Amino acid sequence: MGGGSMVPQAVAQAGFGNTVDAVVRRSAARHAPRVALEFGERRYTYRQLDEAVSRLAGALLGRGLGHGNRVAAFGRNSDAYLLLFLACARAGLVHVPVNYNLTADELAYLVSQSGSSLLVHDPALGPVVEAAKASIGGVPTALLRDGDGGADGDVLGWATQGPVPDLDVAVSERDLVQLLYTSGTTAAPKGAMMTHGALVAEYVSAIVALDLSEADRPLHALPLYHSAQLHVFALPYLMLGATSVLVEAPEPADVLRRIEQQRIDSFFAPPTVWIALAAHRDFSTRDLGSLRKAFYGASIMPVPVLQQLRKALPGIGFYNCFGQSEIGPLATVLRPEEHDVRPDSAGRPVLFVELRVVDEAMDDVAPGGLGEVVYRSPQLCVGYWDKPEETAAAFAGGWFHSGDLVRMDDSGAITVVDRTKDVINTGGVLVASREVEDVLYTHPAVREVAVVGIPDERWIEAVTAVVVADGEVSEQQLQEHARAHLAAFKVPKRVVFVDDLPRNASGKLLKRQLREQFGR
């Protein structure tokens, strides 16, 4: 029969393809009466969620937005924030998540660079938006939630009030659905162009590698603007039909209370949040027996800290999630049963990821050798928004260059040594900051530490440890501790004590800020 490869237009327009929207539609059809989302006092069944997404998609299109237009989202976690992303996916729009900690200048850069046609924000962030308006021209704005009841209302009102429209929107798996801006820890943020198909492939990879199940009861506390919380956990769980609990922020007392009272069994956080939970006074008094899966990622977990957490939470499966925004972001996973064998490892590639460890000539490095990990995957972005040179450099040789220096063992598992830009050149010898950090973490007075290279006339870069102390300790004592475990050239030339280390809202350490601060 001729024409068998043709897809009827009606089917294409129905959205039953490899799209983010199709994920939501299929879950709504399978699990209509089941609770999909809890946020504060509000609850959405899968049917109600699907209807809210259609209302909001219709409202966005009714305000003059068209296929491929960008919508910047500037707010903390809320049901409205999640609904906006899903509505953009349904309407054929491109969602641009923005870190709610940004200054007016930083916000203006992302809105302008992305060419956003609408900026949606929390009321509390109104002053930042007002300060940015002079730089973003006439880009219209709207509130995510808690509007004043005026004629335009807010996103939450658009989603939950009025009839459900019958939308006629064609969305392809090749269409862009999100610009995921890199965290900007080493350079100005770049917008990774993510397609529907790339994200759906990543959802499947996450489900398989992390043993996600519709029977799980996950708590989502990290920022949804960050790709890990949204695309490794929130959307895969919606894809499965689980009931998700969403909170505005990972406040330790609240997280511990919810695990106990709401019988949370699945929780993701970066190392800093896990450390804060274990140090909180409620950690030893709350019943955490429901927790079965502990996911960590977004930054490297120091092995001494991981060992302390595993001892404090026996019987719980720990999963190390590693990757970056450009790959959706999950690339490799270290599963619970592998933690005893290689606790410092980031694990092996997930279902839809192929990786190599290469030298500067793009030749494979022998097992155990140091090289950059490069990827090929349907999960990858298709480039950086309006940055052709950066795109060409990132995909040179037909593989995506991660910027991460790793070692790979015979089993295919990688151990992350450092970011290429965080390796310290001291006296012409390269030092991996992670190696020095892991040693310093074994000192009982070190609560947190970041090791960076500071420009030095004699050493090129001086190994410098920036330490948050938990008790009395001197620079000399920490240098002596390091000297007992490291070669002399790796011992910090300088130890600086601070109250806190700079991190973004996802918990990623901002070493660039430390280099700027202490390199003056």
Side-chain angles (χ1 to χ4, degrees), residues 71-74 98 107 111 116-121 129 136 139-142:
V71 176
F74 187 44
V98 180
L107 170 64
V111 172
S116 290
S117 300
L118 177 67
L119 169 59
V120 186
H121 64 92
V129 174
I136 60 177
V139 176
T141 62

Side-chain angles (χ1 to χ4, degrees), residues 86-404:
L86 298 176
C88 285
R90 182 160 295 181
L93 305 173
V94 182
H95 184 259
V96 182
V98 180
N99 182 340
Y100 52 72
N101 291 304
L102 295 189
T103 65
D105 287 345
E106 292 167 327
L107 170 64
Y109 169 80
L110 292 189
V111 172
S112 299
Q113 204 279 330
S114 65
S116 290
S117 300
L118 177 67
L119 169 59
V120 186
H121 64 92
D122 279 344
L125 297 173
V128 182
V129 174
E130 286 298 318
K133 280 187 175 180
S135 301
I136 60 177
V139 176
T141 62
L143 294 179
L144 268 167
R145 50 180 171 156
D146 303 323
D148 60 7
D152 287 336
D154 57 34
V155 160
L156 187 60
W158 301 346
T160 56
Q161 300 171 17
V164 179
D166 184 14
L167 300 175
D168 182 17
V169 180
V171 180
S172 162
E173 65 183 55
R174 296 180 295 276
D175 288 339
L176 296 186
V177 67
Q178 196 170 54
L179 296 185
L180 278 176
Y181 276 84
T182 60
S183 59
T185 55
T186 58
K190 302 184 292 290
M193 298 186 287
M194 305 304 301
T195 65
H196 283 264
L199 290 181
V200 174
E202 194 269 349
Y203 300 162
V204 176
S205 286
I207 289 168
V208 173
L210 302 177
D211 302 319
L212 306 186
S213 164
E214 68 179 81
D216 291 348
R217 186 166 174 78
L219 175 64
H220 306 300
L222 273 292
L224 290 176
Y225 80 73
H226 188 268
S227 57
Q229 188 67 82
L230 184 62
H231 296 310
V232 181
F233 299 100
L235 263 295
Y237 271 125
L238 282 180
M239 188 174 187
L240 288 168
T243 296
S244 290
V245 178
L246 177 65
V247 295
E248 189 170 287
E251 198 282 315
D254 181 60
V255 168
L256 294 169
R257 177 185 64 81
R258 288 178 182 276
I259 292 174
E260 177 185 77
Q261 296 181 357
Q262 297 181 265
R263 309 307 295 164
I264 298 298
D265 60 13
S266 169
F267 181 64
F268 162 75
T272 48
V273 173
W274 281 112
I275 293 169
L277 291 175
H280 196 274
R281 62 180 180 274
D282 293 348
F283 186 79
S284 60
T285 59
R286 290 289 187 184
D287 177 7
L288 306 180
S290 62
L291 194 61
R292 297 182 296 109
K293 301 174 187 176
F295 306 102
Y296 63 95
S299 61
I300 293 174
M301 174 79 84
V303 172
V305 173
L306 175 62
Q307 292 171 335
Q308 293 169 11
L309 284 170
R310 294 182 68 204
K311 182 177 180 180
L313 296 169
I316 294 176
F318 278 83
Y319 297 75
N320 184 4
C321 308
F322 176 74
Q324 59 194 109
S325 298
E326 291 91 338
I327 201 164
L330 191 65
T332 68
V333 168
L334 183 72
R335 294 177 48 80
E337 64 271 16
E338 299 172 308
H339 273 68
D340 287 332
V341 179
R342 49 176 76 88
D344 61 342
S345 172
R348 287 173 288 189
V350 297
L351 186 64
F352 285 119
V353 170
E354 179 183 359
L355 64 78
R356 295 167 59 204
V357 179
V358 301
D359 58 22
E360 291 184 358
M362 283 292 287
D363 293 325
D364 290 333
V365 173
L370 185 64
E372 181 185 18
V373 61
V374 295
Y375 301 115
R376 284 198 305 208
S377 172
Q379 298 176 196
L380 277 166
C381 68
V382 292
Y384 295 114
W385 181 263
D386 200 25
K387 290 185 179 291
E389 292 182 2
E390 289 85 345
T391 298
F395 286 90
W399 293 72
F400 176 77
H401 293 253
S402 70
D404 289 310

